Amino acid sequence: MKYGIFSDIHSNLSALEAVMASMDNMGVERRVCLGDLVGYCADVNSCVDLVRKKSDICILGNHDSVAIRRESSLHFNQYARFAIDWTQQNLSKESLDYMGKLPYIVEENDLCFVHASPKSPADWSYVSSLDDADDAFEYFSTKVCFVGHTHSPVIVVQDIKGLPFVIEEDSHCCRPGERMLVNVGSVGQPRDRNPESCWCLLDSETFCVEFVRVPYDISRTQDTMRKLGLPVFLIQRIAEGR
Ligand code: ZN
């Protein structure tokens, strides 16, 4: 089965539409969203609607949790807080109901899906170093675990001896005895210096993964944000991939 795994849309509809089209073109059969549907950009309910209609599994992200007022935005930086306050005011009842029911973690077919880390998913810890990844491998038992949250795509493999290493290429096929932790990058706000949207294709028969980069109309997203008065920093950063 071909899985399309995507994360961190952050209310960027232009990017989300491009990623959905890209998945159609590549024959994706099962779509998994790893959360952070909202925050930062302006297309709040249209993104939640599209994810709701298109994804087979959807996980709750930390921005979603604040958007539905399950937790506070105190630990957010000033831009994230501004955007999430604005999001709270613009969230429809339908979006709120949908996001309120999203799980923190899902497992199926030897795969695990979580927003931040399989190590206590509701604490939103970052897997941003090899040490973090090494630790995270202790907290899932499936062959592969997919995460988002950092907005930077990366594949970490745990070899047959239990040692983790980073794959330099943008694809990898998991060999017998290996396990993988895959960060699928971000649809709506990539931070790896490449502004193109990112998602991850998985063949669940072969356990091969590959990142797919998708150009989209960034100016359309920026125009909407500008019109609705979102911070200039947030408008600029999506064009710079940071
Ligand atoms: Zn995010």
Side-chain angles (χ1 to χ4, degrees):
M1 169 130 55
K2 278 188 176 183
Y3 279 78
I5 305 128
F6 63 107
S7 190
D8 296 273
I9 299 98
H10 289 293
S11 301
N12 185 340
L13 184 64
S14 176
L16 180 61
E17 286 175 346
V19 165
M20 291 299 112
S22 167
M23 286 189 187
D24 284 341
N25 290 338
M26 295 189 73
V28 164
E29 298 158 275
R30 196 157 170 81
R31 296 166 197 242
V32 181
C33 172
L34 300 184
D36 274 7
L37 283 61
V38 299
Y40 296 133
C41 300
D43 310 299
V44 177
N45 298 304
S46 49
C47 281
V48 177
D49 278 355
L50 191 54
V51 167
R52 183 166 51 83
K53 282 181 193 134
K54 289 284 199 173
S55 53
D56 298 286
I57 295 172
C58 184
I59 304 293
L60 187 82
N62 57 316
H63 285 253
D64 307 325
S65 181
V66 176
I68 63 172
R69 300 172 197 266
R70 192 175 289 171
E71 57 190 281
S72 90
S73 63
L74 274 180
H75 52 292
F76 277 11
N77 68 43
Q78 56 171 318
Y79 303 106
R81 196 178 311 146
F82 182 96
I84 212 70
D85 288 349
W86 185 89
T87 299
Q88 286 176 342
Q89 287 154 29
N90 287 278
L91 208 60
S92 69
K93 165 122 185 17
E94 208 178 13
S95 299
L96 200 64
D97 288 348
Y98 174 68
M99 289 159 75
K101 293 185 191 113
L102 297 178
Y104 286 97
I105 187 162
V106 168
E107 285 184 11
E108 68 172 31
N109 298 334
D110 221 3
L111 309 169
C112 132
F113 304 106
V114 63
H115 180 67
S117 169
K119 180 181 179 178
S120 96
D123 289 343
W124 317 117
S125 56
Y126 286 88
V127 180
S128 44
S129 69
L130 201 55
D131 277 351
D132 295 340
D134 194 19
D135 190 33
F137 274 110
E138 303 296 315
Y139 293 87
F140 65 97
S141 55
T142 54
K143 190 169 177 69
V144 190
C145 187
F146 292 92
V147 299
H149 198 40
T150 67
H151 299 204
S152 294
V154 66
I155 302 167
V156 183
V157 169
Q158 187 187 52
D159 70 14
I160 200 151
K161 291 185 188 127
L163 296 173
F165 61 96
V166 173
I167 300 293
E168 302 296 340
E169 294 77 33
D170 56 9
S171 64
H172 183 73
C173 292
C174 208
R175 289 175 289 247
E178 285 183 350
R179 295 166 74 219
M180 283 193 297
L181 181 67
V182 182
N183 190 309
V184 302
S186 170
V187 170
Q189 198 198 75
R191 292 182 193 154
D192 60 340
R193 302 275 159 188
N194 177 353
E196 292 184 351
S197 291
C198 186
W199 64 277
C200 182
L201 178 68
L202 161 81
D203 184 325
S204 64
E205 252 92 273
T206 58
F207 288 100
C208 291
V209 292
E210 83 175 81
F211 296 126
V212 183
R213 299 308 290 240
V214 186
Y216 72 96
D217 187 352
I218 295 175
S219 61
R220 186 182 133 202
T221 300
Q222 292 178 314
D223 287 347
T224 315
M225 292 171 79
R226 217 172 277 123
K227 235 175 266 164
L228 294 169
L230 287 167
V232 174
F233 171 72
L234 293 179
I235 296 171
Q236 285 173 345
R237 77 184 294 187
I238 56 170
E240 293 158 11
R242 66 180 173 91

